[in-house]
Amino acid sequence: RLFISNLRSRDVAAQVKGTQLPSYANHLVERSLNLAEVVVPENSLWAGKTLAELSLAPRFGIHVSSVLRGGKRHNIPNGTERIFPNDKLQIIGTDAQLAQLSRVVEQAVVPDDDRDFIDREMILRQVVLTRLSPFVGKKLSESRLREDYELLVVAIDQGQLNLTHVEPSHVFRHGDIVWMVGEKTSFERAGL
Protein backbone atom coordinates (compact mmCIF):
# COMPACT_ATOMS: atom_id res chain seq x y z
CA ARG A 1 0.00 0.00 0.00
CA LEU A 2 2.86 2.37 0.82
CA PHE A 3 4.45 1.67 -2.58
CA ILE A 4 1.17 2.45 -4.40
CA SER A 5 0.66 5.56 -2.26
CA ASN A 6 4.17 6.86 -3.06
CA LEU A 7 3.69 6.08 -6.75
CA ARG A 8 0.39 7.94 -6.78
CA SER A 9 2.01 10.92 -4.98
CA ARG A 10 4.69 11.13 -7.65
CA ASP A 11 2.05 10.98 -10.39
CA VAL A 12 0.07 13.80 -8.78
CA ALA A 13 3.22 15.88 -8.27
CA ALA A 14 4.21 15.33 -11.94
CA GLN A 15 0.76 16.44 -13.07
CA VAL A 16 0.98 19.61 -10.98
CA LYS A 17 4.41 20.41 -12.45
CA GLY A 18 3.08 19.74 -15.93
CA THR A 19 5.57 16.96 -16.66
CA GLN A 20 2.78 14.38 -16.93
CA LEU A 21 -0.64 14.71 -18.53
CA PRO A 22 -3.73 14.23 -16.36
CA SER A 23 -5.23 10.73 -16.28
CA TYR A 24 -8.32 11.80 -18.27
CA ALA A 25 -6.13 12.60 -21.30
CA ASN A 26 -6.28 8.96 -22.49
CA HIS A 27 -10.10 9.06 -22.66
CA LEU A 28 -10.09 12.03 -25.01
CA VAL A 29 -8.38 10.10 -27.83
CA GLU A 30 -11.44 7.83 -28.12
CA ARG A 31 -13.47 10.91 -29.08
CA SER A 32 -10.94 12.41 -31.55
CA LEU A 33 -9.90 15.00 -28.97
CA ASN A 34 -6.46 15.54 -27.55
CA LEU A 35 -4.97 17.27 -24.57
CA ALA A 36 -2.00 19.44 -25.45
CA GLU A 37 0.14 21.84 -23.53
CA VAL A 38 0.92 25.26 -24.95
CA VAL A 39 3.58 27.42 -23.32
CA VAL A 40 2.99 31.17 -23.54
CA PRO A 41 6.22 32.77 -24.84
CA GLU A 42 7.98 35.41 -22.72
CA ASN A 43 7.37 38.10 -25.34
CA SER A 44 3.76 37.07 -26.02
CA LEU A 45 1.13 39.64 -26.95
CA TRP A 46 -1.26 37.52 -24.89
CA ALA A 47 0.53 38.38 -21.63
CA GLY A 48 -1.72 40.25 -19.24
CA LYS A 49 -4.91 39.45 -21.15
CA THR A 50 -7.78 37.43 -19.71
CA LEU A 51 -9.08 34.24 -21.27
CA ALA A 52 -12.29 36.14 -22.09
CA GLU A 53 -10.29 38.77 -24.00
CA LEU A 54 -8.45 36.07 -25.93
CA SER A 55 -11.73 34.31 -26.86
CA LEU A 56 -9.98 30.97 -27.39
CA ALA A 57 -13.12 28.83 -27.45
CA PRO A 58 -15.01 30.95 -30.01
CA ARG A 59 -11.93 31.57 -32.18
CA PHE A 60 -10.40 28.09 -32.19
CA GLY A 61 -13.06 25.73 -30.78
CA ILE A 62 -10.72 24.63 -27.98
CA HIS A 63 -11.11 24.57 -24.19
CA VAL A 64 -8.55 25.51 -21.55
CA SER A 65 -8.74 22.88 -18.83
CA SER A 66 -5.86 24.13 -16.66
CA VAL A 67 -3.30 26.91 -16.36
CA LEU A 68 0.02 25.85 -14.83
CA ARG A 69 1.99 28.72 -13.32
CA GLY A 70 4.95 28.59 -10.98
CA GLY A 71 4.20 25.13 -9.57
CA LYS A 72 0.49 25.88 -9.12
CA ARG A 73 -2.38 24.51 -11.13
CA HIS A 74 -5.50 26.59 -11.84
CA ASN A 75 -8.11 24.07 -12.94
CA ILE A 76 -11.15 24.99 -15.00
CA PRO A 77 -10.18 28.68 -15.25
CA ASN A 78 -12.92 31.18 -15.94
CA GLY A 79 -12.83 34.14 -18.29
CA THR A 80 -11.24 36.43 -15.70
CA GLU A 81 -8.06 34.31 -15.50
CA ARG A 82 -5.11 36.39 -16.75
CA ILE A 83 -2.42 34.81 -18.86
CA PHE A 84 1.23 35.49 -18.10
CA PRO A 85 4.52 34.70 -19.85
CA ASN A 86 5.66 31.10 -19.36
CA ASP A 87 2.18 29.93 -18.35
CA LYS A 88 1.47 26.40 -19.53
CA LEU A 89 -2.06 26.13 -20.89
CA GLN A 90 -3.54 22.65 -21.00
CA ILE A 91 -5.86 22.71 -23.99
CA ILE A 92 -8.49 20.25 -25.21
CA GLY A 93 -9.33 20.14 -28.92
CA THR A 94 -8.93 18.26 -32.18
CA ASP A 95 -5.56 17.92 -33.89
CA ALA A 96 -6.46 20.65 -36.39
CA GLN A 97 -7.68 23.04 -33.68
CA LEU A 98 -4.56 22.49 -31.58
CA ALA A 99 -2.26 22.97 -34.59
CA GLN A 100 -4.00 26.22 -35.52
CA LEU A 101 -3.75 27.50 -31.93
CA SER A 102 -0.05 26.60 -31.76
CA ARG A 103 0.66 28.60 -34.92
CA VAL A 104 -1.20 31.64 -33.57
CA VAL A 105 0.61 31.47 -30.20
CA GLU A 106 3.98 31.39 -31.98
CA GLN A 107 3.07 34.38 -34.14
CA ALA A 108 1.48 36.53 -31.40
CA VAL A 109 4.77 37.84 -30.04
CA VAL A 110 6.52 41.18 -29.81
CA PRO A 111 9.33 41.25 -32.38
CA ASP A 112 12.79 40.75 -30.90
CA ASP A 113 14.30 43.45 -33.07
CA ASP A 114 13.01 46.49 -31.19
CA ARG A 115 14.86 48.95 -33.40
CA ASP A 116 14.04 51.95 -31.25
CA PHE A 117 15.13 50.24 -28.01
CA ILE A 118 17.90 52.79 -27.38
CA ASP A 119 15.65 55.73 -28.24
CA ARG A 120 13.10 54.45 -25.75
CA GLU A 121 15.56 54.40 -22.86
CA MET A 122 14.19 55.99 -19.70
CA ILE A 123 16.06 59.07 -18.53
CA LEU A 124 15.97 61.10 -15.33
CA ARG A 125 15.92 64.80 -16.07
CA GLN A 126 15.91 67.95 -13.98
CA VAL A 127 13.42 70.45 -15.41
CA VAL A 128 13.13 74.10 -14.36
CA LEU A 129 9.60 75.38 -14.98
CA THR A 130 9.46 78.75 -16.73
CA ARG A 131 6.62 81.27 -16.76
CA LEU A 132 5.59 79.95 -20.17
CA SER A 133 5.28 76.34 -19.01
CA PRO A 134 1.74 75.01 -19.47
CA PHE A 135 2.07 73.24 -16.12
CA VAL A 136 2.61 76.36 -14.00
CA GLY A 137 -0.46 77.03 -11.85
CA LYS A 138 -1.73 73.45 -12.15
CA LYS A 139 -1.76 70.77 -9.48
CA LEU A 140 0.29 67.66 -10.23
CA SER A 141 -2.98 65.70 -10.37
CA GLU A 142 -4.33 68.12 -13.02
CA SER A 143 -1.14 68.33 -15.10
CA ARG A 144 -1.74 64.98 -16.87
CA LEU A 145 2.03 64.57 -17.20
CA ARG A 146 1.69 60.81 -16.71
CA GLU A 147 -1.44 60.28 -18.80
CA ASP A 148 -0.73 62.54 -21.79
CA TYR A 149 3.08 62.60 -21.88
CA GLU A 150 4.10 59.38 -20.08
CA LEU A 151 6.29 61.34 -17.67
CA LEU A 152 6.71 60.41 -14.01
CA VAL A 153 7.30 63.25 -11.54
CA VAL A 154 9.77 61.85 -9.02
CA ALA A 155 10.52 64.81 -6.76
CA ILE A 156 10.99 68.57 -6.42
CA ASP A 157 14.31 70.14 -5.54
CA GLN A 158 13.60 72.75 -2.87
CA GLY A 159 17.24 73.51 -2.12
CA GLN A 160 17.44 71.02 0.73
CA LEU A 161 19.83 68.13 1.14
CA ASN A 162 17.16 65.63 0.03
CA LEU A 163 14.63 65.94 -2.76
CA THR A 164 11.01 66.41 -1.70
CA HIS A 165 8.28 63.93 -2.60
CA VAL A 166 5.57 65.57 -4.72
CA GLU A 167 2.00 65.25 -3.49
CA PRO A 168 -0.81 65.20 -6.07
CA SER A 169 -2.09 68.47 -4.57
CA HIS A 170 1.22 70.30 -5.24
CA VAL A 171 0.68 73.36 -7.46
CA PHE A 172 3.55 73.92 -9.89
CA ARG A 173 5.11 77.39 -9.73
CA HIS A 174 7.49 79.37 -11.93
CA GLY A 175 11.04 78.37 -10.97
CA ASP A 176 10.15 74.91 -9.58
CA ILE A 177 12.97 72.44 -10.15
CA VAL A 178 11.17 69.20 -10.94
CA TRP A 179 12.84 65.80 -11.38
CA MET A 180 11.06 63.62 -13.93
CA VAL A 181 11.57 60.22 -15.56
CA GLY A 182 10.50 59.41 -19.10
CA GLU A 183 11.59 58.81 -22.66
CA LYS A 184 13.33 61.57 -24.59
CA THR A 185 10.35 61.89 -26.94
CA SER A 186 8.01 62.27 -23.96
CA PHE A 187 9.97 65.28 -22.73
CA GLU A 188 9.89 66.73 -26.25
CA ARG A 189 6.11 66.28 -26.56
CA ALA A 190 5.63 68.05 -23.22
CA GLY A 191 7.91 70.89 -24.31
CA LEU A 192 10.36 70.24 -21.50
Side-chain angles (χ1 to χ4, degrees):
R1 273 190 283 206
L2 183 59
F3 173 77
I4 296 296
S5 174
N6 287 341
L7 182 63
R8 181 74 183 127
S9 298
R10 277 189 294 196
D11 285 347
V12 169
Q15 286 179 21
V16 169
K17 291 178 184 173
T19 56
Q20 178 178 328
L21 294 177
S23 57
Y24 67 83
N26 295 332
H27 300 291
L28 296 173
V29 176
E30 301 163 3
R31 289 163 180 75
S32 298
L33 294 174
N34 292 306
L35 177 69
E37 197 169 272
V38 174
V39 178
V40 178
E42 286 186 21
N43 57 346
S44 176
L45 295 172
W46 289 14
K49 294 188 178 181
T50 63
L51 287 174
E53 290 170 327
L54 294 173
S55 303
L56 299 179
R59 286 172 56 201
F60 304 103
I62 54 91
H63 298 283
V64 178
S65 63
S66 299
V67 177
L68 302 155
R69 179 182 306 133
K72 294 194 177 193
R73 176 186 289 274
H74 304 269
N75 288 330
I76 317 299
N78 61 28
T80 61
E81 181 76 37
R82 289 209 181 273
I83 301 304
F84 295 99
N86 297 316
D87 277 356
K88 293 178 184 175
L89 308 179
Q90 291 191 331
I91 310 284
I92 298 173
T94 65
D95 287 339
Q97 292 166 332
L98 296 172
Q100 181 187 16
L101 177 70
S102 291
R103 281 192 301 276
V104 170
V105 168
E106 290 172 10
Q107 294 169 355
V109 295
V110 176
D112 286 336
D113 61 339
D114 188 357
R115 299 190 198 304
D116 61 345
F117 180 79
I118 299 208
D119 293 337
R120 296 185 56 234
E121 181 181 8
M122 299 295 283
I123 55 175
L124 175 65
R125 183 179 283 178
Q126 178 185 14
V127 176
V128 179
L129 298 181
T130 66
R131 289 189 217 293
L132 301 176
S133 172
F135 308 109
V136 170
K138 291 184 180 177
K139 293 180 183 178
L140 172 59
S141 59
E142 299 168 340
S143 70
R144 301 197 49 85
L145 282 162
R146 183 186 290 253
E147 297 85 351
D148 295 344
Y149 304 102
E150 297 175 332
L151 291 170
L152 175 65
V153 176
V154 177
I156 290 190
D157 189 343
Q158 296 183 324
Q160 301 169 353
L161 185 59
N162 295 323
L163 296 175
T164 307
H165 173 72
V166 184
E167 296 294 329
S169 61
H170 175 80
V171 178
F172 290 117
R173 295 182 300 268
H174 163 69
D176 275 354
I177 302 170
V178 184
W179 287 87
M180 298 182 194
V181 172
E183 295 178 21
K184 181 181 175 188
T185 55
S186 297
F187 283 103
E188 290 169 357
R189 279 197 331 266
L192 301 171

